[in-house]
Amino acid sequence: MKRESIVGLLHGKEGLASLGIPADQLNLYDHPKLLKLERNVKSNASDSEAHQIIVDTLKS
Protein backbone atom coordinates (compact mmCIF):
# COMPACT_ATOMS: atom_id res chain seq x y z
CA MET A 1 0.00 0.00 0.00
CA LYS A 2 1.29 3.43 -0.90
CA ARG A 3 2.20 5.91 1.81
CA GLU A 4 -0.37 8.35 0.41
CA SER A 5 -3.12 5.75 0.84
CA ILE A 6 -2.21 5.12 4.46
CA VAL A 7 -2.06 8.85 5.20
CA GLY A 8 -5.47 9.29 3.54
CA LEU A 9 -7.00 6.50 5.60
CA LEU A 10 -5.61 7.97 8.82
CA HIS A 11 -6.91 11.44 7.93
CA GLY A 12 -10.32 9.96 7.20
CA LYS A 13 -10.39 8.09 10.48
CA GLU A 14 -9.41 11.23 12.40
CA GLY A 15 -11.99 13.29 10.53
CA LEU A 16 -14.74 10.82 11.34
CA ALA A 17 -13.68 10.74 14.98
CA SER A 18 -13.93 14.54 15.13
CA LEU A 19 -17.55 14.16 13.93
CA GLY A 20 -18.22 11.52 16.58
CA ILE A 21 -18.51 8.72 14.02
CA PRO A 22 -16.48 5.58 14.84
CA ALA A 23 -14.80 4.44 11.61
CA ASP A 24 -15.71 0.80 12.23
CA GLN A 25 -19.40 1.74 12.46
CA LEU A 26 -19.55 4.02 9.41
CA ASN A 27 -22.33 3.38 6.94
CA LEU A 28 -21.97 5.83 4.05
CA TYR A 29 -25.66 5.50 3.22
CA ASP A 30 -26.44 7.16 6.58
CA HIS A 31 -24.23 10.12 5.61
CA PRO A 32 -25.17 11.35 2.11
CA LYS A 33 -22.43 14.01 1.95
CA LEU A 34 -19.74 11.43 2.75
CA LEU A 35 -21.21 9.08 0.13
CA LYS A 36 -21.11 11.91 -2.42
CA LEU A 37 -17.46 12.55 -1.51
CA GLU A 38 -16.62 8.89 -1.89
CA ARG A 39 -18.10 8.94 -5.37
CA ASN A 40 -16.51 12.25 -6.43
CA VAL A 41 -12.92 12.01 -5.19
CA LYS A 42 -10.88 9.95 -7.59
CA SER A 43 -8.09 7.76 -6.30
CA ASN A 44 -5.61 9.33 -8.72
CA ALA A 45 -6.50 12.95 -7.84
CA SER A 46 -3.69 15.14 -6.60
CA ASP A 47 -3.89 16.43 -3.03
CA SER A 48 -4.99 19.87 -4.23
CA GLU A 49 -7.62 18.40 -6.57
CA ALA A 50 -8.99 16.15 -3.84
CA HIS A 51 -9.04 19.03 -1.38
CA GLN A 52 -11.01 21.23 -3.79
CA ILE A 53 -13.53 18.44 -4.48
CA ILE A 54 -14.00 17.93 -0.75
CA VAL A 55 -14.48 21.65 -0.10
CA ASP A 56 -16.95 22.00 -2.98
CA THR A 57 -18.93 18.92 -1.93
CA LEU A 58 -19.21 19.94 1.71
CA LYS A 59 -20.40 23.45 0.74
CA SER A 60 -23.38 22.04 -1.16
Side-chain angles (χ1 to χ4, degrees), residues 1-45:
M1 185 178 282
K2 289 184 176 183
R3 177 193 164 287
E4 293 86 0
S5 298
I6 294 169
V7 170
L9 289 170
L10 291 172
H11 280 283
K13 183 177 180 184
E14 289 176 15
L16 290 171
S18 72
L19 296 173
I21 304 169
D24 63 339
Q25 296 176 13
L26 175 65
N27 181 347
L28 286 177
Y29 295 104
D30 293 337
H31 304 279
K33 283 191 175 184
L34 292 178
L35 182 60
K36 188 175 180 181
L37 276 175
E38 186 273 331
R39 290 181 177 156
N40 289 342
V41 177
K42 307 297 182 212
S43 61
N44 62 347

